[in-house]
Amino acid sequence: MKKDITSSEDVALLVDEFYAVAFMDELLAPHFVDIDFPAHRPRMIAFWEFVLLDKAGYTTSVFDKHAHMKIGMEHFNRWVQIFHETVDRLFDGEKANDAKMRATTIGWTFGNKMEHRK
């Protein structure tokens, strides 16, 4: 039986497993080529700890950090799909469902903002 997302270690596992797939994805991988994952990883973990575990300290505008990228709704739809698959593979429970709902909302919001900038 899978457990729910309850700790920083769970969030780190989710981030690591998600990006292991995303970095290999045909549509998404080209957008990660220049990312220094070891340097970026703590920020991604801090973001998801803030979102899922209500951990204080994350204050950066996530959209502003991605606004320069040449990506659209198709990229965010794929990002959401991989995120959902990763959560489903690793976790089950209220926080796992919340993670998927929040990722869907983030993907839709970012995708629409990117599309309207074109």
Side-chain angles (χ1 to χ4, degrees), residues 34-87:
D34 296 325
I35 290 181
D36 177 358
F37 184 70
H40 195 57
R41 181 179 179 266
R43 289 185 288 255
M44 292 183 289
I45 291 170
F47 171 76
W48 285 106
E49 287 175 327
F50 171 73
V51 169
L52 298 174
L53 304 178
D54 298 320
K55 186 173 178 182
Y58 191 87
T59 59
T60 304
S61 170
V62 177
F63 181 77
D64 289 347
K65 293 290 184 185
H66 296 85
H68 69 282
M69 297 177 75
K70 305 282 190 235
I71 52 180
M73 188 58 83
E74 68 277 9
H75 298 93
F76 287 103
N77 287 340
R78 183 67 180 135
W79 180 88
V80 169
Q81 179 186 0
I82 293 170
F83 194 92
H84 281 231
E85 290 169 355
T86 304
V87 170

Side-chain angles (χ1 to χ4, degrees), residues 72-110:
M73 188 58 83
E74 68 277 9
H75 298 93
F76 287 103
N77 287 340
R78 183 67 180 135
W79 180 88
V80 169
Q81 179 186 0
I82 293 170
F83 194 92
H84 281 231
E85 290 169 355
T86 304
V87 170
D88 287 341
R89 183 168 40 86
L90 299 172
F91 302 104
D92 186 36
E94 184 178 335
K95 286 290 183 184
N97 290 333
D98 190 35
K100 293 186 291 185
M101 187 234 8
R102 290 178 184 235
T104 299
T105 302
I106 291 166
W108 183 86
T109 302
F110 278 33

